[in-house]
Amino acid sequence: MGTQVWWKNAVIYQIYPRSFMDSNNDGIGDIRGIIGKLDYLEWLGIDAVWICPVYKSPNDDNGYDISDYMDIMDEFGTMADMDELILKAKEKNIRIIMDMVFNHTSDEHKWFIEARKSKDNPYRDYYIWRDPVNGDKPNELGSVFSGSAWQLDETTGQYYLHLFSKRQPDLNWENEAVRKNIIEVIKFWVNKGVSGFRLDMIELLGKLPDEMITANGPKLHDYIKELYREGFNCNGKAEEIVTIGECWAADTDIALKYTEPDNKELSMVFQFEHSALDEIKGKGKWALKEMRLTELKSIIDKWQLQYDKGWNTLFWNNHDLPRIVSRFGNDKEYRVESAKMLALYLYCLKGTPFIYQGEEIGMTNIKFDTIEEYKDIEIHNMYKEKKAEGVAEEDIMKSIYAKGRDNARTPMQWNDEINAGFTKGIPWIKVNNNYKEINVKKDMEDNNSVLHFYQNLIKMRKDILCIREGNYIPLLNEDEDIAAYTRNTNGQGILVIANFHECTKKISFSDIVSKRIIISNYNRTEIDLKDVEIRPYEAVMCEI
Ligand code: TEU
Ligand code: CA
């Protein structure tokens, strides 16, 4: 088994800096705001923080359009602030994981400013240029943010590729100079003392746009092996550097290509099979359908059982996903119970939990009255595209309410003061108007809160070995309301039961006996597993 690397025993917390804490009241979260909340993160018990991009950027896509990988966005602060954050976090045994966007840069990056000047500019081949075909775009490749993935650049009469916004030109990874420059970026941040990288859309680096291939291209793993060899392992301590690839097109076999330790590529991947269950298959994220629990359970089972040579990431939320309590839980009458149930079900599985800011207090989705109140480029581009297609406004807004990324990007709710204590200025995006009921301060003062439940769960993962290292046996596979599984190692075992719905249901485990209840979201003190009535959104972990 070898020594357990740190990130297999860790709980990681994701921060979207723009919305986490504003220290200078310009309405925008910043690095000094994060420094000011290190005590809170230490109290919560997390081991590392994944920080979304803080580098220089014009914010066309809120920092995922980088114009300088080795300097800090003015709105977020200075490099001295970043150095202080790394240092002060380390003093609290909290590691820093940086978010790296290597598939594309901002169109304000000096490489692109040069590249677009002329066809023979030395930087031209840092990007992907094609001549028009029959006076039109080269092919039908589409952008994730609606419309064509090709933008005509008037200066040279060629199109450049952008799989995301027009202002996020794709880098040409076949160009060795690009790969060498990116390796310098990795070395810069490794030598600053960070403990790893989240790798944005890493699966796209091997794209072959003329063949309409985007994810999982033929040279993808060659490129990642090079990043490992010369970047992540630049100090010979790659096992200390955690790397998590964002891989929307990964199944268990593909995931193992990245994470099989002998391949020397990545530590883990974010795969999204569980996160597409409320969309009509093949129709994209905006085509809504109800999530069926048996579908979720079969995907969880697959990743727990077939991917056992890899190491799972365990997440419900991130800065792109709607808030899970509104999505798979109940954000009205059973918000607290269902938030706890979702956490207990997921974070007792085998893998590394990733908690997204606000999840730990059960923050919910948002419903802005007008499209203008939304800030996300993906939402605005989709709105324009659907309006042009003649889709009814209410249907467009229904999809935005359910799946829009701004659901995850409203300011962190710290207390019941103005703007939920996030800023004394005008917030860059409106605060959810439920902040007086849902905030850290209120949850801190209530031992039965979602927040205390999360703190207990995080502590539990350190105390209960079978959560970290035990096997996984799914139960109640056909039940459409209740999920259950056991974890066992070295004679120690737990049973987790989670009711995903508002129903009350009798279940029976004929051959399992509970020794004691470890944690329950209804403060249950006893349980007869031969005949137990599970209440709406009830979740319980027993020692067995
Ligand atoms: O996301 C990739 C991506 O495809 C999703 O953001 C996309 O919006 C999808 O619809 C999920 O809802 C990564 C980053 O996480 C995202 O924030 C960036 O906008 C994107 O890449 C481009 O860098
Ligand atoms: Ca600020």
Side-chain angles (χ1 to χ4, degrees), residues 14-16 49-55 63-64 66 69 96-102 189 196-201 244 246 319:
Q14 182 194 355
I15 289 179
Y16 193 69
V49 171
W50 152 25
I51 304 181
C52 290
V54 292
Y55 322 101
Y64 283 89
I66 297 169
Y69 290 95
I96 300 292
I97 298 166
M98 303 300 282
D99 197 330
M100 281 293 164
V101 187
F102 293 151
W189 286 102
F197 301 96
R198 179 264 185 178
L199 299 163
D200 188 78
M201 290 314 280
I244 314 110
E246 182 191 20
H319 63 292

Side-chain angles (χ1 to χ4, degrees), residues 168-184:
Q168 292 171 291
D170 279 53
L171 282 166
N172 169 20
W173 273 77
E174 295 198 32
N175 181 344
E176 187 183 14
V178 167
R179 302 200 302 272
K180 295 307 173 205
N181 272 285
I182 293 298
I183 284 163
E184 289 311 307

Side-chain angles (χ1 to χ4, degrees), residues 61 64 101 104 144-145 164 168 198 200-201 246 248 285 319-321 378 403 405 409:
D61 184 19
Y64 283 89
V101 187
H104 47 270
V144 173
F145 294 162
F164 291 92
Q168 292 171 291
R198 179 264 185 178
D200 188 78
M201 290 314 280
E246 182 191 20
W248 285 81
K285 66 182 270 186
H319 63 292
D320 296 330
L321 300 176
E378 182 184 54
K403 301 296 284 297
R405 301 192 303 179
R409 301 177 179 185

Side-chain angles (χ1 to χ4, degrees), residues 240-255:
E240 279 296 301
I241 299 290
V242 68
T243 49
I244 314 110
E246 182 191 20
C247 301
W248 285 81
D251 59 21
T252 48
D253 295 336
I254 291 173

